[in-house]
Amino acid sequence: LFWCSLSQLLVNVRISLKKLSTRAVEPFPERSRSPIQRGDVQDGGWPRHRLRQIRDHFAVPDDALVPDEYRLGVGDQLVVQLFGKENATYTLSVGRDGNISFPKLGAITVSGLTFEDARRLIDTRIEQQLIGVEAVVTLGRLRAIGVFMAGEVRVPGAYSVSALTTVTQALFQAGGVTNIGTLRDVQVRRAGEIVTRFDVYDLMMRGDPSGDI
């Protein structure tokens, strides 16, 4: 009886091992897998989700403070609020001719002017032509500009970014530099000519943002 029971036990063990060996091995749960196992790692060891977070963090927000020296261009919007003898709000876009079409005042050329100069110009025109009316001029939606990121960036190509985007923000939008790239000589070119050279270490180590145009 003992020998029969032992034989039956060995048979059961062999059957269990056979079932275990033929059963497919289940993959690790998604949470327990490393970024490499999930395929979330970019070249150079940067997880993709971290790059997305960095790009979102460095993107220009829609409600960013616009400096007075910001130069207006085609596609920018000006919001003009009138009060006094006349109460109205106008949202005026800069057209391809560089003008805004202001009701009762006609065309006003603002393209190429700084926001502060354009605000003074509009205030003067309203003061001279609309007696008893005062105005508050603010910026609405900002235009988008096209930039092309080339060289040793992770994702080279054309990008449409806010007109307030700086060199470092555009660099992060392109995923940063590759393993053989350098942050010591970032060049900004317009019409084939180098406008400025920017050493990112000036900003990172000394807090000097003067080259981050």
Side-chain angles (χ1 to χ4, degrees):
L1 179 63
F2 175 76
W3 177 255
C4 293
S5 300
L6 182 59
S7 300
Q8 186 65 31
L9 177 61
L10 292 175
V11 170
N12 291 337
V13 170
R14 283 197 294 269
I15 293 175
S16 299
L17 289 175
K18 183 177 180 181
K19 290 182 178 180
L20 180 62
S21 62
T22 57
R23 188 174 56 184
V25 178
E26 297 182 357
F28 290 105
E30 187 67 19
R31 291 183 180 179
S32 64
R33 300 170 71 194
S34 69
I36 296 178
Q37 290 172 323
R38 293 196 302 266
D40 287 342
V41 175
Q42 295 254 56
D43 293 338
W46 277 89
R48 288 190 177 92
H49 73 280
R50 285 292 298 142
L51 283 175
R52 287 194 294 267
Q53 292 173 359
I54 291 174
R55 285 196 288 267
D56 293 342
H57 177 73
F58 277 87
V60 179
D62 294 334
D63 57 352
L65 181 64
V66 179
D68 289 337
E69 61 270 17
Y70 172 77
R71 292 195 176 274
L72 299 175
V74 177
D76 283 323
Q77 283 187 346
L78 292 173
V79 179
V80 183
Q81 294 178 303
L82 303 180
F83 57 95
K85 292 179 61 177
E86 180 179 344
N87 294 294
T89 300
Y90 299 105
T91 300
L92 311 172
S93 296
V94 181
R96 294 183 179 179
D97 56 358
N99 299 331
I100 57 173
S101 182
F102 201 110
K104 300 182 181 180
L105 297 182
I108 302 176
T109 302
V110 296
S111 181
L113 298 179
T114 64
F115 172 59
E116 180 63 23
D117 291 339
R119 181 166 52 189
R120 291 177 181 174
L121 176 61
I122 295 173
D123 286 340
T124 301
R125 290 285 296 272
I126 291 175
E127 183 179 352
Q128 292 175 348
Q129 297 180 244
L130 299 177
I131 307 299
V133 177
E134 296 184 14
V136 174
V137 182
T138 57
L139 268 171
R141 189 189 66 220
L142 301 181
R143 70 185 186 277
I145 60 175
V147 298
F148 192 89
M149 304 296 294
E152 294 300 330
V153 292
R154 293 190 182 276
V155 190
Y159 291 82
S160 179
V161 297
S162 167
L164 290 178
T165 300
T166 63
V167 173
T168 53
Q169 289 167 337
L171 187 60
F172 274 102
Q173 288 291 316
V177 298
T178 63
N179 292 336
I180 63 174
T182 177
L183 297 172
R184 305 308 301 265
D185 185 24
V186 181
Q187 300 177 8
V188 178
R189 301 191 179 197
R190 293 174 184 160
E193 297 183 358
I194 298 178
V195 177
T196 186
R197 293 175 182 267
F198 177 47
D199 185 350
V200 179
Y201 279 71
D202 289 340
L203 177 62
M204 296 172 60
M205 305 299 293
R206 292 188 287 273
D208 179 12
S210 58
D212 192 17
I213 63 174

